[in-house]
Amino acid sequence: MRQSVYLRLAVFFVQLDLQKEDAAWRREHRRVKVYLPHLSEHMLNDIGVGKDRRVASHLASTPASRKVRHLRRKYQSKFAT
């Protein structure tokens, strides 16, 4: 007996949602932790460091910006001097 198209689509969308949540969790827990003891909480907040001493996720680079940075580095002209 075959599964219905609707059941297959539902399973597919649930799997996509799980992958999205897993990627978001990994992105949040991969953030850089900083140690700046001489700065106050307000100054740390101004530069984007949260109370857990990690850099805010919106300030970290995205996969697209990393790809662009690597492509620029790869294709920049190298003149022999």
Side-chain angles (χ1 to χ4, degrees):
M1 186 153 114
R2 289 182 52 185
Q3 292 178 343
S4 70
V5 174
Y6 297 116
L7 185 59
R8 286 185 183 180
L9 276 175
V11 169
F12 176 72
F13 287 132
V14 167
Q15 287 174 344
L16 279 179
D17 189 43
L18 286 174
Q19 289 174 357
K20 183 179 174 184
E21 287 178 7
D22 186 41
W25 184 87
R26 278 187 271 120
R27 187 172 37 252
E28 280 295 316
H29 287 82
R30 192 180 340 150
R31 296 186 305 159
V32 176
K33 192 166 190 171
V34 294
Y35 178 68
L36 300 168
H38 56 280
L39 296 179
S40 69
E41 289 292 324
H42 297 292
M43 289 188 77
L44 289 173
N45 203 9
D46 288 343
I47 62 174
V49 177
K51 291 187 185 253
D52 58 350
R53 299 285 185 185
R54 293 182 186 269
V55 177
S57 60
H58 67 276
L59 296 176
S61 62
T62 62
S65 66
R66 283 194 302 270
K67 178 90 170 170
V68 168
R69 188 173 60 242
H70 291 299
L71 288 174
R72 282 184 183 154
R73 188 180 313 139
K74 182 178 180 182
Y75 292 115
Q76 74 182 8
S77 62
K78 297 179 177 108
F79 294 111
T81 55

